[in-house]
Amino acid sequence: MGLCMRTGHMLPLDLPSIIWKPLVGEPVSEQDVLNVDLLSFKILEELGNLKQYNLSEDIFASMIDCSFTATGSDQKVHQIVPGGENIKVTMKNTEEFAKALKSYRMSEFHTQTEAIREGMATILPYPLLSLFTWKELQTQISGVPTMDIELLMQQTQYEKCSEDDEFVQFFWRMVREKWDDEKRAKFLTFVLGEISFTD
């Protein structure tokens, strides 16, 4: 990565913001985690919804059978607090569980990003990295992605319209002739559900 910045050669990495941000010292947000792990936050939302019913601990235990652990991106089970495998989630500790799970998810890639950052520091000084935003660093290393529009058109599935409709042809003409690679990349990222309207 450091060599990419020094030489201008691109490395086509498709990494999420949860990886890029720590490299430049930006904090990881809940949205960064949501971009790669919607399920964890859905679980927390459902646990929060259960609290409104004032369930007894017995009823809660019959519905929710989990401990203070989480399956990581490596598909291994990790304790999210010391001794977490032996701590059951109960009505009383759901907020503690939610806090621990969020903390785990937001720091899950810390070891890996620190190793990348240390490797980059052998080529570029640490202070130089903090001059970039994460998006600028991504562009410096990976460039602006290009899109094969013809392939995208071939793979597009239409509902209640067809590729011959005038507005569909107008859309593809706009994508082909008026949009630059950056706008096309943003469109594709949005369509694939990797960012929100606010990104």
Side-chain angles (χ1 to χ4, degrees):
M1 291 176 140
L3 283 173
C4 292
M5 294 182 71
R6 285 265 188 187
T7 64
H9 290 86
M10 298 297 144
L11 187 60
L13 298 174
D14 186 18
L15 301 173
S17 58
I18 199 169
I19 301 297
W20 292 109
K21 281 186 171 183
L23 298 180
V24 296
E26 288 185 34
V28 172
S29 69
E30 285 187 18
Q31 185 61 48
D32 298 319
V33 177
L34 277 169
N35 289 342
V36 295
D37 182 22
L38 185 60
L39 181 60
S40 288
F41 284 89
K42 190 67 177 160
I43 290 168
L44 295 179
E45 182 182 321
E46 293 302 321
L47 281 175
N49 290 341
L50 285 177
K51 287 195 85 149
Q52 70 182 339
Y53 297 111
N54 292 325
L55 302 174
S56 71
E57 286 294 346
D58 291 336
I59 293 173
F60 183 86
S62 71
M63 296 172 65
I64 305 294
D65 182 26
C66 66
S67 59
F68 276 61
T69 59
T71 302
S73 297
D74 59 1
Q75 301 305 308
K76 294 179 182 173
V77 176
H78 299 270
Q79 298 180 76
I80 59 176
V81 297
E85 64 201 11
N86 300 317
I87 304 171
K88 289 286 184 194
V89 177
T90 64
M91 277 296 287
K92 290 181 181 175
N93 68 14
T94 54
E95 288 179 15
E96 184 183 336
F97 174 76
K99 184 177 177 182
L101 183 59
K102 283 181 187 179
S103 176
Y104 169 75
R105 287 295 184 218
M106 292 176 76
S107 63
E108 182 177 3
F109 301 105
H110 177 77
T111 302
Q112 292 85 352
T113 55
E114 273 306 301
I116 293 169
R117 193 171 153 89
E118 287 176 19
M120 289 178 71
T122 63
I123 308 290
L124 302 166
Y126 276 127
L128 184 61
L129 292 175
S130 64
L131 297 175
F132 294 95
T133 66
W134 73 268
K135 288 183 179 186
E136 291 169 339
L137 181 67
Q138 181 184 36
T139 302
Q140 284 287 319
I141 293 171
S142 299
V144 176
T146 59
M147 181 190 312
D148 184 341
I149 297 169
E150 297 305 317
L151 179 61
L152 183 62
M153 289 172 65
Q154 290 171 11
Q155 297 300 316
T156 300
Q157 297 177 4
Y158 300 94
E159 290 184 20
K160 299 183 182 178
C161 64
S162 79
E163 62 185 77
D164 297 324
D165 288 343
E166 187 177 341
F167 69 92
V168 172
Q169 290 192 8
F170 175 75
F171 169 77
W172 288 118
R173 193 167 47 254
M174 290 295 296
V175 171
R176 212 184 281 110
E177 298 171 9
K178 302 292 183 187
W179 289 3
D180 60 14
D181 284 336
E182 185 176 359
K183 189 171 244 181
R184 290 180 192 136
K186 285 181 179 179
F187 165 73
L188 187 59
T189 303
F190 174 73
V191 168
L192 296 175
E194 296 174 9
I195 61 169
S196 66
F197 276 114
T198 58
D199 280 353

